[in-house]
Amino acid sequence: MGLKIEALKFVDRYVSAAAARVLGWWNFRQSHGPPFVEIVPNRVREIMFIRPGGMGDLLLLLPAAIRVKRALPDARLTLVGERRNRAVTSFTSVFDEVLCYDDGPIKFLRELRRRQFDVVVDTEQFHYSSSIFALLSGAPVRIGFKIMPARNELYTHLVDYPMDRHETRAFEGLIEPLCEGAARVSNEDFRGLIDTSKLPEEVPGLTNDDRGLLTVFPYGGAREKAWPAGRWAEIVRRLLASGEGTVVLVGGGDSSELARDVMQAVNDPRVVNLVDRLSLAQTAAVLARTALYVGCDTGVTHLAQSLGARCVVLFGASDERKWGPQEGFGVSVATRVPCRPCAIFGYVKRCRTIDCMDRIGQNDVWRAIEIELENLRPAPAASDT
């Protein structure tokens, strides 16, 4: 998967960037009159959202897509993305159809040209390929972020991209031309983005009665998001000692070794290790039964928030202002080092040492966990006296 993503980035940076410049020049030369088209909401029937990237990127788009669906109930929504996100869309009823550009470029481009979209909303901030997809769709209205000058000619409506606002708010601004004045998705709506009736009931290692889980994701993938096994083990020990619920470990294959180290250090049979044992649907089922979730900035973390868990999220290279839990969803834990945040648009500054993660101590994380555990406890009953 990593090599495939890097290959897509390479093609985008060198091939698609050149193509966007040429197509932008050609589009300008062929245009006559104003380069924009007025949006008439009651005439919009087919809308295409372009959302490259991983699960977290897609989940953060869902509130904006739901707002469009509510504002334009007669419109049909199509998502253009990657195959790895098909499973996420199967948990929701937001999109009517999914087209995957990595199913095969010829097949995808043929489908793109065959459809008759009224509006394209390109949610990509930085890459060029999505702007080319928007133009090739033939849609008269093409909305995109005004951040990369070389691709601006391919859009009819440009929206400023705010670097200092949460990503969900950036997407809200992007769809404003479509549903100006329509109510935004509330926090309660956000917690119900995933249709739990579509999740499996059976999860290995758990019974159907297990609820109020304390779920930990000891992420062992990208260096800039990794935290030492010893510190994860200390967090697990303290959660066990709190007696607040069953402690569960989740994660994919890239977290297996780290999870084994945590389990060996904790050495307690009460911890349920489900790392690299679950499908995405089963992981979502665990998160749906979770009261408190502890992890770093990953797609699974955003999935936990969408399913209503209170989240404590460790941030290293990425920016908690853009990707962290919003008010009412949990708390971010980060340190102040002069080079962070350095992750932007899928690229991270190369570092010999990951000080931004290494300087997060287990006491920092535990203080945040204590706050969230207190928020989960029921308020004391009012005294009759």
Side-chain angles (χ1 to χ4, degrees), residues 206 210-215 245-248 285-287 289-293:
L206 296 175
D210 284 321
R211 294 290 188 274
L213 302 176
L214 307 178
T215 301
T246 301
V247 179
V248 179
V286 171
L287 297 175
R289 305 172 193 177
T290 294
L292 176 74
Y293 169 92

Side-chain angles (χ1 to χ4, degrees), residues 197-249:
S197 69
K198 297 182 178 181
L199 301 179
E201 293 185 5
E202 299 295 330
V203 176
L206 296 175
T207 69
N208 291 344
D209 294 330
D210 284 321
R211 294 290 188 274
L213 302 176
L214 307 178
T215 301
V216 179
F217 184 0
Y219 180 67
R223 288 178 63 238
E224 66 273 8
K225 297 182 180 182
W227 208 43
R231 299 183 196 179
W232 283 119
E234 180 60 24
I235 294 301
V236 171
R237 289 192 197 98
R238 295 187 188 186
L239 286 172
L240 287 170
S242 74
E244 296 286 345
T246 301
V247 179
V248 179
L249 303 187

Side-chain angles (χ1 to χ4, degrees), residues 72-116:
L72 304 172
D74 295 329
R76 188 170 182 272
L77 272 57
T78 297
L79 175 70
V80 168
E82 298 172 22
R83 279 182 292 183
R84 56 178 168 160
N85 278 328
R86 259 204 187 110
V88 180
T89 59
S90 70
F91 305 153
T92 75
S93 57
V94 179
F95 296 103
D96 300 287
E97 184 182 17
V98 180
L99 298 178
C100 298
Y101 53 79
D102 52 352
D103 272 343
I106 303 300
K107 175 184 175 182
F108 168 70
L109 291 175
R110 186 182 297 121
E111 285 294 306
L112 199 63
R113 294 297 295 171
R114 185 175 68 83
R115 311 301 173 89
Q116 293 184 336

Side-chain angles (χ1 to χ4, degrees), residues 102-269:
D102 52 352
D103 272 343
I106 303 300
K107 175 184 175 182
F108 168 70
L109 291 175
R110 186 182 297 121
E111 285 294 306
L112 199 63
R113 294 297 295 171
R114 185 175 68 83
R115 311 301 173 89
Q116 293 184 336
F117 292 104
D118 301 304
V119 177
V120 171
V121 181
D122 181 5
T123 67
E124 172 57 43
Q125 308 95 329
F126 181 73
H127 296 133
Y128 296 93
S129 299
S130 60
S131 64
I132 296 174
F133 298 160
L135 182 70
L136 293 181
S137 73
V141 175
R142 302 181 298 277
I143 307 171
F145 284 123
K146 183 176 62 177
I147 193 168
M148 298 296 290
R151 65 180 201 172
N152 286 353
E153 292 285 354
L154 304 183
Y155 301 118
T156 59
H157 293 65
L158 291 168
V159 177
D160 288 326
Y161 179 74
M163 296 294 295
D164 58 349
R165 298 180 67 194
H166 199 272
E167 198 70 350
T168 55
R169 295 306 177 203
F171 292 148
E172 286 285 352
L174 195 61
I175 62 163
E176 199 64 33
L178 268 178
C179 48
E180 185 177 359
R184 289 187 169 89
V185 174
S186 68
N187 276 7
E188 288 305 313
D189 289 333
F190 188 89
R191 291 184 186 277
L193 291 178
I194 305 300
D195 184 353
T196 55
S197 69
K198 297 182 178 181
L199 301 179
E201 293 185 5
E202 299 295 330
V203 176
L206 296 175
T207 69
N208 291 344
D209 294 330
D210 284 321
R211 294 290 188 274
L213 302 176
L214 307 178
T215 301
V216 179
F217 184 0
Y219 180 67
R223 288 178 63 238
E224 66 273 8
K225 297 182 180 182
W227 208 43
R231 299 183 196 179
W232 283 119
E234 180 60 24
I235 294 301
V236 171
R237 289 192 197 98
R238 295 187 188 186
L239 286 172
L240 287 170
S242 74
E244 296 286 345
T246 301
V247 179
V248 179
L249 303 187
V250 298
D254 54 4
S255 298
S256 295
E257 184 176 348
L258 183 60
R260 282 196 299 268
D261 292 342
V262 172
M263 292 295 291
Q264 289 175 1
V266 174
N267 193 25
D268 193 312

